[in-house]
Amino acid sequence: MTKSVAVGALLLLWETAPRLGLVDRTFLPPFSEVAHAWWGLAADGRLADNTRASLVRSFSGFGLAVALAVPLGLLIGWYRPVADLLGPLLEVFRNTAALALLPVFVLLLGIGETSKISIVVYACTWPILLNTISAVRNVDPTLLKLAKSMALPAPRLFQKVILPSAVPVMFTGIRLAGAVSILVLVAAEMIGAKAGLGYLINASQYNFAIPQMYAGIITISAIGVAFNQFLVAVERRLSSWRVPADG
């Protein structure tokens, strides 16, 4: 209820501030005008087409990053020789912003789908990888000693102890990557794309269709919230064995 009140207050402020002259409505039109523009984009199919293009790119890159970073993070977190070997490379690339490398991806892979999906994979890999490594290294030592005392083989140790204990921290990285996958892609689409929400926002701003620009921004925000809620639901499902802190 409190969240709904906060959102409603924000929308009311957005509607009234331009009408009262508190802000220039040329650059921040009332929310009703933005909603009308959003409905117009939805009615003529442009919103669906651009949203579909962005979602395919974003979810493809996100899925590939999860498939790559989770196993690699488990490996680096558990086997010290692998961590020692790859540590220097991780330190170099983790501190290199994805968007700073966008021109490199475009030069090497072109301006098509491959470069856009690849930049999403790169950006999403780091929060997942680093959180997975941290999750494995911080598994309760008492649980590990108990499992080893039962002579559990390595695969069973991973399945029964390490993975369940690591899920919450891993999903922190996955949820961060979910947000990153959308934000980085939108920025990439603003530079070189003929479809996508980033392209829609950039084209609307260039043509001074300001309500349509805000409609695209709202759509991105809604997708981000929905995707985060989906990941929270998956995390709860995978962590259903945990006892609540207040229980």
Side-chain angles (χ1 to χ4, degrees):
M1 182 63 180
T2 304
K3 295 179 181 179
S4 300
V5 171
V7 173
L10 175 62
L11 296 181
L12 179 61
L13 178 63
W14 188 350
E15 179 68 27
T16 57
R19 296 187 183 279
L20 295 176
L22 300 178
V23 295
D24 190 340
R25 65 184 299 164
T26 302
F27 302 108
L28 183 64
F31 176 74
S32 57
E33 294 183 12
V34 175
H36 185 267
W38 187 94
W39 182 256
L41 290 171
D44 64 19
R46 281 185 292 168
L47 185 65
D49 291 341
N50 286 290
T51 299
R52 187 182 306 111
S54 289
L55 289 180
V56 169
R57 296 165 182 156
S58 180
F59 290 168
S60 296
F62 174 79
L64 290 171
V66 172
L68 171 68
V70 169
L72 184 58
L74 293 172
L75 191 64
I76 294 173
W78 186 246
Y79 293 105
R80 178 59 62 179
V82 178
D84 293 339
L85 176 65
L86 299 179
L89 290 177
L90 296 182
E91 288 300 319
V92 170
F93 286 106
R94 66 179 288 191
N95 292 301
T96 305
L99 292 180
L101 293 177
L102 180 57
V104 178
F105 280 89
V106 172
L107 286 173
L108 296 178
L109 303 174
I111 60 174
E113 299 300 301
T114 303
S115 62
K116 294 178 181 60
I117 294 175
S118 297
I119 196 71
V120 173
V121 173
Y122 178 87
C124 291
T125 293
W126 300 108
I128 301 174
L129 179 63
L130 297 176
N131 277 272
T132 301
I133 293 172
S134 176
V136 173
R137 289 179 177 174
N138 289 287
V139 172
D140 189 344
T142 304
L143 291 177
L144 291 176
K145 290 179 181 179
L146 181 60
K148 290 178 180 179
S149 69
M150 299 172 64
L152 283 179
R156 295 286 290 174
L157 184 64
F158 259 92
Q159 180 185 2
K160 294 297 184 180
V161 179
I162 295 175
L163 282 178
S165 299
V167 161
V169 178
M170 285 170 51
F171 260 88
T172 299
I174 291 174
R175 288 171 60 188
L176 288 172
V180 168
S181 69
I182 297 172
L183 297 178
V184 169
L185 175 65
V186 168
E189 288 176 340
M190 288 181 176
I191 295 175
K194 295 183 178 180
L197 291 172
Y199 165 79
L200 174 64
I201 293 170
N202 199 45
S204 299
Q205 185 265 344
Y206 181 79
N207 294 314
F208 215 72
I210 303 302
Q212 292 184 2
M213 182 189 76
Y214 282 107
I217 294 172
I218 289 175
T219 302
I220 292 170
S221 299
I223 291 172
V225 171
F227 191 32
N228 182 69
Q229 291 302 310
F230 169 75
L231 292 176
V232 169
V234 173
E235 179 184 0
R236 288 175 178 170
R237 177 78 174 180
L238 295 177
S239 303
S240 58
W241 57 271
R242 300 176 68 201
V243 178
D246 57 356

